[in-house]
Amino acid sequence: MQELEVLLDKLQTFKKMYQAMRIVDPIEKKVLDFRENKLCETGVACYKFWQKQHLCENCVSMRAFNENDTIFKIECSGDEVYMLTAVPVAIEDRQLVVELLKNTTNNLFWGNGKHDEGIKLFTMIDQINQAAVRDSLTGLYNRRYIDERLPVDILNSSLKHQPLSIVFADLDYFKKINDTYGHSSGDLVLKEFAKELKRHIRREKDWTARYGGEEFFICLPNTSLEAAKKVAERIRSSIEKKEFVVDGKPVHITCSFGVYTACNENECMTVDSIIELVDRQLYKAKSHGRNRIE
């Protein structure tokens, strides 16, 4: 309680500088309030402030939480622009984040004074925030997004008593593509492969990311092991039949898949542990002949 009292006392000095200050739990995405001498959930999702109905793709508080460092971000809420400062704090044995929000709509300028430059500013902010969590080659999410989003999905699946399935996909013998046709051709294959992944997942619920190189990550919330295997099989079959055009020549490739489903709410899952488990299944698929699912 002493830690909390000191924090609240310090925040008083920022009242005139910031339009909003709040304490959030970045994992549960909840805003906390100080009531009856303790921190309580308000039932308000932290992203509601930004007039959104879903999780932010580039969650600055999750970054502050993961990196244990103060993070800054420019974000839009309706027609207003905010500077957000996220500061990690430890209170009551909990790792939380203090968010300081300053309205900078009338203090930020962009362009040459034309009336449409303000719109471009909002577009630029959105593009910057997207770039932070997107793989520049494939347009899928990147490793940072996995680290920030997967803990939330793990918690949600546990609280809702729903299975969470993870699929690891690895293009077989991809090095031969690069060695034979060059890395630019290999990049084209990766882009086409990314499109196939997106085509076979649920747009509103599932998400996929480039884990690194030719390895890809698929998250399937509220999906059983059997259903996840069917998704992986549809992708595997589609890739096996697809004709990739590389340097003007038709090329056929295959892909190996590892699938793991966390379905026990008592199971203490972390990002590292669930990735280790699904990677183990991918290793089996490659060891047992590739172009298969384990």
Side-chain angles (χ1 to χ4, degrees):
M1 292 309 302
Q2 185 177 1
E3 295 171 344
L4 182 57
E5 289 174 0
V6 171
L7 173 63
L8 294 174
D9 184 58
K10 288 182 178 180
L11 289 180
Q12 295 300 314
T13 63
F14 292 105
K15 270 192 171 181
K16 292 184 179 180
M17 297 173 56
Y18 294 92
Q19 279 65 48
M21 298 182 294
R22 60 187 190 171
I23 300 174
V24 303
D25 184 328
I27 298 293
E28 296 195 23
K29 304 301 183 187
K30 295 287 181 63
V31 179
L32 305 181
D33 195 10
F34 183 63
R35 297 194 300 267
E36 299 178 356
N37 294 322
K38 64 180 180 180
L39 283 173
C40 306
E41 289 187 5
T42 61
V44 177
C46 57
Y47 49 82
K48 293 293 184 181
F49 180 88
W50 308 110
Q51 301 181 29
K52 296 180 179 179
Q53 302 300 318
H54 52 79
L55 300 177
C56 301
E57 290 186 347
N58 183 12
C59 178
V60 66
S61 290
M62 198 65 186
R63 282 191 58 198
F65 178 89
N66 285 335
E67 299 175 19
N68 195 29
D69 197 4
T70 299
I71 305 294
F72 303 90
K73 179 184 179 183
I74 298 291
E75 184 60 279
C76 302
S77 179
D79 294 329
E80 297 181 323
V81 179
Y82 284 84
M83 168 70 80
L84 169 60
T85 304
V87 185
V89 294
I91 301 174
E92 301 177 359
D93 297 323
R94 295 175 68 181
Q95 191 70 18
L96 303 171
V97 173
V98 173
E99 291 187 350
L100 306 173
L101 300 103
K102 184 175 180 63
N103 191 323
T104 58
T105 307
N106 298 322
N107 303 97
L108 288 177
F109 298 92
W110 172 257
N112 56 14
K114 294 182 180 179
H115 292 297
D116 62 348
E117 293 302 318
I119 298 174
K120 289 185 179 180
L121 172 62
F122 287 97
T123 302
M124 181 185 69
I125 291 171
D126 184 60
Q127 290 174 346
I128 291 172
N129 289 332
Q130 285 279 331
V133 293
R134 293 282 180 178
D135 174 58
S136 59
L137 176 65
T138 63
L140 301 181
Y141 292 117
N142 57 20
R143 284 283 293 274
R144 171 181 287 173
Y145 187 79
I146 296 174
D147 292 338
E148 295 178 1
R149 176 63 186 270
L150 186 55
V152 178
D153 284 331
I154 291 172
L155 178 66
N156 283 339
S157 71
S158 177
L159 294 176
K160 296 177 181 178
H161 309 292
Q162 295 175 344
L164 176 68
S165 291
I166 303 297
V167 180
F168 249 11
D170 184 275
L171 288 172
D172 297 329
Y173 305 111
F174 182 72
K175 187 175 182 296
K176 289 184 178 180
I177 299 291
N178 284 333
D179 292 344
T180 304
Y181 301 101
H183 287 276
S184 60
S185 296
D187 287 348
L188 291 176
V189 171
L190 293 175
K191 289 180 182 179
E192 288 299 310
F193 181 74
K195 291 179 182 178
E196 285 296 312
L197 293 184
K198 292 175 70 174
R199 194 165 68 86
H200 289 281
I201 64 173
R202 299 168 296 185
R203 182 174 298 180
E204 299 301 323
K205 295 183 179 181
D206 307 330
W207 53 274
T208 183
R210 186 184 180 194
Y211 191 76
E214 64 272 22
E215 283 191 334
F216 293 81
F217 181 98
I218 305 168
C219 183
L220 306 171
N222 195 20
T223 303
S224 67
L225 179 61
E226 287 303 314
K229 286 164 62 178
K230 289 179 180 179
V231 172
E233 174 56 28
R234 286 198 298 268
I235 299 171
R236 189 206 64 78
S237 177
S238 174
I239 294 301
E240 185 179 39
K241 297 173 182 176
K242 184 177 176 62
E243 189 175 87
F244 292 84
V245 179
V246 179
D247 198 21
K249 302 175 182 177
V251 173
H252 292 273
I253 62 175
T254 59
C255 190
S256 300
F257 295 84
V259 182
Y260 179 80
T261 299
C263 54
N264 182 357
E265 59 267 21
N266 297 320
E267 197 174 6
C268 185
M269 300 301 302
T270 64
V271 171
D272 290 339
S273 63
I274 204 167
I275 287 179
E276 180 181 351
L277 288 166
V278 72
D279 190 48
R280 195 179 300 169
Q281 300 307 118
L282 175 60
Y283 179 78
K284 288 181 183 177
K286 293 194 288 186
S287 298
H288 294 164
R290 303 177 191 259
N291 190 27
R292 59 183 289 126
I293 300 161
E294 290 285 350

